């Protein structure tokens, strides 16, 4: 579904919301889906399989088939962290991308109460943030004037 949304400066922005995904075809997520917080499951299964700014395919929740499994990437920032890594790379998945190296990620071993990590490829991560608060904030940022 394609949404047209008017920005603060009256520009029309297009957001895509995929059809809800009642059956997981993404084998990577299929194996861990039961560990994903229920509110995120519900979004993908009942509302949309992703919801993002259409031209960049970012600034939103990405479709299940594009979820970022952190263990599949080399993260140069790991060498530059000021404190020990606060997530398990093997059980962490990025559900939101901002298109510029920022992610809202969930460590499935530590996701009680929708806790997430605000992850950057070039800056220190922020741990134990509320998943939906950050998602809402970043989507609003995408709708604001430059």
């Amino acid at each position: 579904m394609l949404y047209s949304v008017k920005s603060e400066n009256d520009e029309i922005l297009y957001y895509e919301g995929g059809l809800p995904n009642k059956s997981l075809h993404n084998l990577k997520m299929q194996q861990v889906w039961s560990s994903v917080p229920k509110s995120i499951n519900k979004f993908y299964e009942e509302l949309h399989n992703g919801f993002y700014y259409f031209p960049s395919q970012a600034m939103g929740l990405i479709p299940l088939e594009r979820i970022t499994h952190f263990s599949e990437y080399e993260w140069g920032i790991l060498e530059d962290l000021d404190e020990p890594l606060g997530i398990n790379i093997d059980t962490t998945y990025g559900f939101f991308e901002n298109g510029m190296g920022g992610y809202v990620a969930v460590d499935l071993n530590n996701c009680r109460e929708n806790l997430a990590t605000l992850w950057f490829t070039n800056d220190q991560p922020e741990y134990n943030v509320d998943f939906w608060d950050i998602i809402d904030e970043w989507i609003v940022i995408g709708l604001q004037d430059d």
Side-chain angles (χ1 to χ4, degrees):
M1 179 174 285
L2 192 62
Y3 292 89
S4 58
V5 181
K6 191 180 284 191
S7 72
E8 287 183 344
N9 66 352
D10 293 329
E11 181 183 354
I12 300 297
L13 306 173
Y14 294 98
Y15 280 78
E16 181 175 353
L19 294 175
N21 196 340
K22 302 233 184 259
S23 62
L24 290 171
H25 296 126
N26 178 340
L27 295 176
K28 172 175 57 176
M29 289 306 298
Q30 195 171 41
Q31 297 168 356
V32 298
W33 193 243
S34 63
S35 299
V36 173
K38 295 296 179 219
S39 66
I40 299 172
N41 284 6
K42 192 171 182 175
F43 179 90
Y44 280 93
E45 292 174 357
E46 297 179 16
L47 187 58
H48 285 302
N49 180 15
F51 180 80
Y52 51 86
Y53 182 57
F54 182 70
S56 67
Q57 296 188 358
M59 282 310 284
L61 289 161
I62 56 178
L64 288 172
E65 53 275 6
R66 289 192 16 239
I67 298 290
T68 304
H69 187 191
F70 273 40
S71 69
E72 295 176 358
Y73 295 88
E74 292 292 326
W75 300 101
I77 189 69
L78 294 177
E79 299 164 3
D80 299 325
L81 294 179
D82 295 339
E83 308 214 356
L85 183 62
I87 57 174
N88 180 339
I89 294 290
D90 293 329
T91 58
T92 298
Y93 294 82
F95 287 88
F96 184 106
E97 292 181 15
N98 73 355
M100 298 181 298
Y103 298 83
V104 179
V106 175
D107 180 350
L108 299 183
N109 284 343
N110 181 28
C111 56
R112 66 191 185 287
E113 300 174 26
N114 293 317
L115 291 180
T117 297
L118 191 51
W119 183 265
F120 302 97
T121 57
N122 60 356
D123 201 359
Q124 302 299 308
E126 294 180 36
Y127 301 109
N128 299 317
V129 297
D130 183 273
F131 181 85
W132 292 109
D133 286 351
I134 297 298
I135 298 296
D136 291 347
E137 230 175 275
W138 275 14
I139 287 176
V140 168
I141 288 170
L143 296 171
Q144 293 176 337
D145 294 337
D146 294 338

